[in-house]
Amino acid sequence: MVQVPDVLAGDVRGVARALSVVEQGGPEAEGLMRTLRGRLGSAQTVGITGAPGVGKSTLVQALGIALVGAGTRVAVLAVDPSSPFSGGALLGDRVRMPDLLERGAFVRSMATRGALGGLAVATSDALDVLDAAGFDWILVETVGVGQDEVDIAGEVHTVVLVTVGGLGDEVQAAKAGVMEIANIFAVNKTDQVSADGQVAAIESALALAPPAAWQPPVVRTSALTGEGIEGLRASLLDHRRFLDDGGRRSEAHRRRARRRVERLVSAMIQERIRGPLAAAFDEVLEDVGRGELDPYAAARRLLETVHREAR
Ligand SMILES: Nc1nc2c(ncn2[C@@H]2O[C@H](COP(=O)(O)OP(=O)(O)O)[C@@H](O)[C@H]2O)c(=O)[nH]1
Ligand SMILES: [Mg+2]
């Protein structure tokens, strides 16, 4: 059982237990979200995204240490859709971030064990758990952006896109269609490879974008030597301040709520037609198969059944 007071107090074991509950999904997760409602909205959430190997985990650790050093409470959530069930991955990021753990940050890999709506819903709920637990910063490491099962951009306040220069693929960021999604660009491994080409490519791509109130900064970092980490932290603070202006934060929260509820509606319908309404679903499918019903009419009939049963 999750002890809600423990979660609200930020007790590590209580928070860990709550995260297991949201991974599991089901009535307990739903109940937990109900209890936490009203205790949310104080955390600043940051997605750290980019291709495998660019140094996201290392950067998260360095950034986390800088944030802890500044006297704030930090939680790290590693979301990797490619290894949702891997116990190895579960331990991997914990052992890869020992220095951060040592400084009292909370580090956890997300998995999903059948939560309604999968990893996306579980991750969203996990952000709320960590928010309610009083963390000032929640750093979410995820692979890729936009096309993923977990589209982190809509979930967090700030998206940091990490790339590395010198791969002979300087426009990779522009091509991937993530220019609009990233709020901050980090060109990493500057100790190893020159960032110049990549920085120039990003800046010229940004120059083509329509003028916006927020101009994404391009920060050069070395997660290994610590170069640029303070600059990255400063950019995060800038973006947080930017969101606090003119109701941007509440607008972002409304957008997130909309996506979340939409996702849950779809997931709940899926769950019904695969579960309690499976027989009705089969029947409708047979009618479609026999040519007695077109797919649109079938879908409408099924929706009506869902609606009737839900009352
Ligand atoms: N030289 C150098 N290596 C780095 C830097 N950041 C990360 N790495 C290394 O790059 C490899 C991949 O890093 P990791 O953080 O696991 O990347 P991720 O897959 O994006 O999370 C590891 O061997 C890191 O030690 C950096 O700034 N400079
Ligand atoms: Mg990683």
Side-chain angles (χ1 to χ4, degrees):
M1 265 305 278
V2 174
Q3 302 297 324
V4 172
D6 288 351
V7 176
L8 295 176
D11 171 75
V12 171
R13 295 187 60 176
V15 173
R17 224 172 275 135
L19 292 178
S20 299
V21 163
V22 302
E23 284 177 332
Q24 204 78 44
E28 205 184 346
E30 197 170 329
L32 180 61
M33 287 304 114
R34 195 159 45 237
T35 331
L36 297 184
R37 150 184 76 92
R39 316 299 285 249
L40 306 173
S42 54
Q44 181 74 11
T45 55
V46 180
I48 313 277
T49 190
V54 294
K56 295 181 297 297
S57 297
T58 317
L59 200 60
V60 161
Q61 168 155 291
L63 186 60
I65 289 171
L67 290 166
V68 170
T72 51
R73 293 186 59 217
V74 176
V76 172
L77 207 56
V79 181
D80 186 352
S82 63
S83 56
F85 295 107
S86 153
L90 221 66
L91 290 173
D93 281 294
R94 299 195 119 258
V95 297
R96 259 185 270 127
M97 298 188 185
D99 300 342
L100 188 52
L101 278 171
E102 203 172 89
R103 284 167 174 78
F106 183 90
V107 181
R108 166 76 176 238
S109 288
M110 273 308 280
T112 172
R113 298 175 185 80
L116 175 76
L119 197 53
V121 167
T123 302
S124 209
D125 290 353
L127 286 174
D128 278 4
V129 166
L130 295 170
D131 184 0
F135 291 102
D136 303 298
W137 294 90
I138 305 171
L139 309 179
V140 188
E141 178 189 338
T142 180
V143 180
V145 77
Q147 67 273 46
D148 266 314
E149 186 197 341
V150 180
D151 186 358
I152 205 66
E155 283 298 323
V156 296
H157 295 119
T158 306
V159 174
V160 179
L161 179 70
V162 187
T163 62
V164 177
L167 300 177
D169 192 15
E170 252 83 29
V171 284
Q172 78 199 58
K175 263 195 291 196
V178 293
M179 300 300 292
E180 312 81 25
I181 291 161
N183 305 113
I184 297 169
F185 292 85
V187 182
N188 193 39
K189 305 199 186 185
T190 51
D191 60 287
Q192 200 175 47
V193 276
S194 165
D196 292 348
Q198 179 75 314
V199 171
I202 293 169
E203 281 176 347
S204 56
L206 286 173
L208 297 176
W214 174 257
Q215 291 297 320
V218 186
V219 187
R220 297 161 191 252
T221 60
S222 167
L224 274 195
T225 69
E227 191 217 330
I229 299 303
E230 270 311 311
L232 183 56
R233 189 176 76 85
S235 294
L236 286 177
L237 293 170
D238 283 347
H239 193 247
R240 184 175 68 177
R241 243 176 272 123
F242 170 79
L243 290 179
D244 285 331
D245 270 1
R248 291 190 182 102
R249 184 176 298 275
S250 36
E251 173 57 30
H253 288 180
R254 267 195 300 277
R255 264 203 312 274
R256 176 176 178 236
R258 165 187 278 270
R259 287 166 43 93
R260 249 178 126 180
V261 173
E262 281 177 352
R263 194 156 55 208
L264 281 174
V265 168
S266 311
M268 283 175 183
I269 292 175
Q270 291 283 348
E271 196 186 46
R272 312 269 321 149
I273 65 178
R274 284 174 192 164
L277 300 181
F281 193 12
D282 282 344
E283 233 171 78
V284 163
L285 288 182
E286 272 180 36
D287 289 349
V288 173
R290 278 198 301 269
E292 286 167 15
L293 212 56
D294 67 274
Y296 287 89
R300 282 185 202 290
R301 184 178 292 179
L302 213 51
L303 258 184
E304 273 159 25
T305 311
V306 170
H307 183 61
R308 229 182 1 257
E309 300 280 312
R311 270 185 298 190

